[in-house]
Amino acid sequence: HQDEEKLQEYMDELEFLAYTAGGTVDRRFTQKLTQPDSKTFIGSGKAQEIKEYVKENGIGTVIFDDELSPSQLKNLEREIEVKILDRTNLILDIFAQRAQTSYARTQVELAQYQYLLPRLTRMWTHLERQKGGIGMRGPGETEIETDRRIIRDRITLLKDKLKTIDKQMATQRNNRGKVVRAALVGYTNVGKSTLMNALSKSEVFAENKLFATLDTTVRKVVIGNLPFLLTDTVGFIRKLPTQLVESFKSTLDEVREADLLIHVVDISHESFEDHIESVNQTLMEINAHQKPMIMVFNKIDDFSYEKKDEDDLTPSTKKNISLDEWKNTWMAKSKYPTVFISALTKENFPEMKKMIYDEVMKIHISRFPYND
Ligand code: GDP
């Protein structure tokens, strides 16, 4: 039952990603396998079922929640005869749509080429088939080699370009001097930008889609006469493509070099505990997991649960846990200062601000020990 619930949550998220990319989802297919088929990821019966459905309903694309190997992708397209996207491809597409600055665009382009390189043959097999196949093999192969070379050159160029910008950004960060720096981190869509706006009274783009923020925004915030810098960073997500983690190095450097992390969680989301795990995992990967942190549980205005009658003997699920119970659990188990707020209604803002103030002050004092 729990597996089933988790599966639906993953599918919900994938559907939300598809929606963010501009698509609508017609139907979900799931399959239980002890391990994915090495050739086609799903079993051939399932592939057949999908193929028929796609044909009957004029579906244009089938999206998989995992990253498919180049050959799985090729085999599936051949079998289902429709465009196949995997999770990585979908996320890259969203990032490409969202990239605003030339820096973000360069990062996304690099990640896209890195994704494309091992998958080049796929496009060629397709073209070969269209042209009638067999005889095309020779020239086809040569052209793939040429294309590979062009793409490799492009990757080198983009990497150089990023290196230059990275250096500039590092200098900028150094020039910010000894002012305490806090970074908002969290799963995508938890309310980081909304919180940033509320704290800095600025207008950072916030919307109910994934990855509204690709570029980092830095704002000066003052709480009780104490100024510090607040950074809004790209949202994390389960299975963030490795190509993206690498190419967003500088964006993540903001997190790596922050003095304090403000970890925002969407408590109204049924998978919020998984989200916390994913974020901690990414923080570990970029070696930023040992920084001082504040846990901010957001969207309490949107929290709902199903109260259970006392004589109801069915096993309790996560849905039966009240906000107070969550509070007690997290206050007890979190090793960080923890607060429950709504960035929208500003409920518990004074408490949160006091918490941030205290943490920033601690760092400030350690830095300027002789000031009073
Ligand atoms: P980000 O991706 O983490 O930066 O999230 P955003 O700040 O863009 O917010 C994502 C969505 O959640 C937007 O539709 C916000 O209006 C909404 N949101 C943010 N904070 C709250 C909150 O406290 N309560 C509710 N109900 N919605 C919120």
Side-chain angles (χ1 to χ4, degrees), residues 186-197 204-213 232-233 235 264 266 268 298-303 341-346:
Y187 210 73
T188 178
N189 213 44
V190 294
K192 295 181 297 297
S193 304
T194 311
L195 188 58
M196 173 93 163
N197 286 339
V204 177
F205 184 54
E207 73 171 329
N208 192 19
K209 284 199 173 169
L210 303 174
F211 309 113
T213 316
D232 185 10
T233 57
V264 187
D266 175 358
S268 75
N298 187 31
K299 304 198 190 180
I300 54 171
D301 62 292
D302 209 19
F303 180 86
I341 63 144
S342 163
L344 219 56
T345 67
K346 305 207 169 172

Side-chain angles (χ1 to χ4, degrees), residues 1-15 28-33 65-66 238-239 270-271 274:
H1 174 73
Q2 265 198 335
D3 280 357
E4 179 58 30
E5 223 170 67
K6 192 135 279 182
L7 190 67
Q8 288 312 324
E9 285 168 16
Y10 288 166
M11 291 303 253
D12 285 345
E13 182 179 272
L14 190 67
E15 185 162 339
R28 300 174 174 191
F29 290 88
T30 55
Q31 183 178 36
K32 277 210 177 75
L33 290 176
D65 192 40
D66 283 272
R238 190 174 70 89
K239 295 194 222 159
E270 51 187 351
S271 312
D274 286 347

Side-chain angles (χ1 to χ4, degrees), residues 89-102:
N89 203 203
L90 183 62
I91 293 179
L92 286 173
D93 192 79
I94 296 171
F95 272 61
Q97 279 180 33
R98 302 251 143 174
Q100 298 279 334
T101 60
S102 111

Side-chain angles (χ1 to χ4, degrees), residues 231-264:
T231 310
D232 185 10
T233 57
V234 62
F236 299 161
I237 194 163
R238 190 174 70 89
K239 295 194 222 159
L240 186 70
T242 44
Q243 298 95 333
L244 278 177
V245 177
E246 197 199 321
S247 63
F248 273 78
K249 183 186 161 299
S250 192
T251 312
L252 294 171
D253 277 347
E254 288 284 352
V255 176
R256 225 187 318 253
E257 291 176 19
D259 304 300
L260 170 68
L261 302 181
I262 301 176
H263 185 163
V264 187

Side-chain angles (χ1 to χ4, degrees), residues 159-170:
K159 278 187 173 163
D160 284 348
K161 196 169 157 189
L162 282 180
K163 239 183 236 154
T164 314
I165 311 181
D166 280 345
K167 269 193 206 127
Q168 288 166 357
M169 291 177 96

